Amino acid sequence: MSRTIKFAKAGGPEVLEFVETQVAAPGPAEVRIQVKAIGINRAESMWRNDDYIEPARFPAGLGYEAAGIVDAVGAEVAGIAVGDAVSVIPAFSMNQYFTYGEVVLVPAYAVVKHPASLSFAEAASVWMMFVTAYGALIEDAKVGKGDFVLIPAASSSVGLAAIQLANYAGATSVALTRTAEKRQQLIDAGAAHVIVTEEADLLQETMRITDGKGARVVFDPVGGPNFQKLVSALAFQGIAYIYGALSEGPTTLPVLDMIGKMTAVKAHNIWLTSGDEAGRKAAVAFVLKGLEEGALKPVIDRTFKFDDIVDAHRYLENNGQFGKIVVTV
């Protein structure tokens, strides 16, 4: 038996419930994991509100990331064995699999043997943050030396991953934050430049930092009315990726500016990489190499106990964290 988190209707954190469940033996291509830590993501808050990119089927489980010990494998699983310390890549629908549980079943293709140097809490933090940013910055945009990358909501886990990945690739990271409160933390986290958007003009500061050329890439989880400013701050043939909708306002575009500079706006999510076998393997190899070299490292803001999962979701929705929220089991 295992305690699993379920919710029978959409709503706030209080709809999350503990349910005693008999976890089945893994199917031929599945792995069963005794969970030690769970990474908490904004996507799961949206899922709980039934306001995500696919509708939830009730009663619904939730969770994309976890780390723990393998306790059973399916007959067709190769390379993963009972007793292995592993972590889970977001590469499935939460209508099919989920990670908020003491024991969970996940597809074998989403299971990775992470570096022994990582704690379970760190391992549960790695894949959403780094693979989401990798897909846009490394796989698609192929950022490198001479490129400037604008990173709104830079204190989020994916934002911090984008800073590290841009730096690792030789590009120049430009972190955006609303207030000066997190400026020094972002500098300490590796940001080459920080723009405090409530104190400085975004476009002017971007042009100053880039010697008037603009940023080659914007990597934005917010959208809303400020998105047009970000697009205007792009260089000739620059790319703006939008991978979230944190703003509740309409997202507008400076169409004539885009036509003049031939810029591109691309919708992005982790599935573009994690949902493709070759892309997923390349991302894992890249991230593991960065972790082993010390260029990449998950940043954990705060940990909660499994019994306090509701409090973890409330904390997530306060938007005050710097890095990843993790639940330990």
Side-chain angles (χ1 to χ4, degrees):
M1 297 297 290
S2 164
R3 287 192 304 162
T4 297
I5 304 295
K6 296 274 190 175
F7 60 108
K9 62 180 181 179
E14 67 278 358
V15 302
L16 299 177
E17 300 178 294
F18 289 93
V19 178
E20 288 283 344
T21 305
Q22 181 68 50
V23 182
E30 294 179 329
V31 173
R32 193 171 67 191
I33 300 170
Q34 293 181 353
V35 175
K36 301 297 183 183
I38 301 164
I40 307 298
N41 296 290
R42 177 68 57 176
E44 293 138 24
S45 169
M46 298 173 70
W47 178 255
R48 193 201 67 234
N49 280 293
D50 202 14
D51 190 25
Y52 194 45
I53 56 177
E54 63 173 321
R57 296 199 298 263
F58 302 112
L62 72 171
Y64 271 136
E65 291 184 286
I69 303 293
V70 174
D71 82 346
V73 298
E76 298 175 2
V77 175
I80 300 290
V82 172
D84 283 347
V86 297
S87 48
V88 180
I89 299 175
F92 45 81
S93 165
M94 287 186 282
N95 278 322
Q96 295 176 299
Y97 296 97
F98 52 85
T99 61
Y100 283 23
E102 293 172 326
V103 179
V104 298
L105 283 174
V106 291
Y109 64 77
V111 177
V112 175
K113 289 192 283 189
H114 54 260
S117 59
L118 296 181
S119 67
F120 282 119
E122 289 173 326
S125 304
V126 166
W127 300 112
M128 179 67 89
M129 63 187 290
F130 283 114
V131 177
T132 300
Y134 166 93
L137 304 186
I138 307 301
E139 185 178 33
D140 193 69
K142 297 178 174 59
V143 300
K145 187 175 181 180
D147 291 334
F148 289 85
V149 181
L150 286 184
I151 306 167
S155 58
S156 69
S157 58
V158 177
L160 293 168
I163 290 171
Q164 294 182 30
L165 284 166
N167 294 345
Y168 189 35
T172 301
S173 55
V174 183
L176 274 55
T177 184
R178 287 188 301 106
T179 68
E181 180 182 358
K182 296 178 180 177
R183 182 202 296 270
Q184 190 58 50
Q185 283 179 289
L186 288 167
I187 292 171
D188 294 342
H193 303 274
V194 177
I195 299 175
V196 179
T197 56
E198 290 186 357
E199 296 180 1
D201 183 279
L202 171 62
L203 183 58
Q204 288 182 3
E205 278 297 287
T206 300
M207 292 304 167
R208 181 187 65 80
I209 290 167
T210 63
D211 292 329
K213 296 176 182 177
R216 177 162 171 254
V217 172
V218 163
F219 186 57
D220 180 46
V222 182
N226 285 328
F227 189 67
Q228 62 179 340
K229 297 179 183 178
L230 294 169
V231 175
S232 293
L234 284 171
F236 180 72
Q237 294 187 325
I239 310 169
Y241 296 93
I242 183 162
Y243 68 97
L246 293 178
S247 174
E248 295 180 357
T251 299
T252 54
L253 296 174
V255 175
L256 291 178
D257 195 15
M258 292 171 62
I259 293 171
K261 293 193 293 186
M262 292 190 285
T263 54
V265 173
K266 292 188 175 185
H268 178 72
N269 75 48
I270 192 173
W271 289 359
L272 188 66
T273 304
S274 67
D276 173 77
E277 183 178 5
R280 184 172 61 250
K281 288 180 178 179
V284 168
F286 186 95
V287 173
L288 289 178
K289 183 173 183 286
L291 290 168
E292 289 164 359
E293 292 177 358
L296 306 180
K297 184 174 178 61
V299 178
I300 296 175
D301 174 86
R302 184 175 171 183
T303 59
F304 290 80
K305 294 181 180 178
F306 190 52
D307 287 341
D308 300 324
I309 192 79
V310 170
D311 290 336
H313 267 240
R314 288 188 179 124
Y315 183 71
L316 171 72
E317 292 182 349
N318 285 334
N319 297 319
Q321 70 268 21
F322 190 90
K324 195 81 169 189
I325 300 167
V326 177
V327 166
T328 58
V329 181

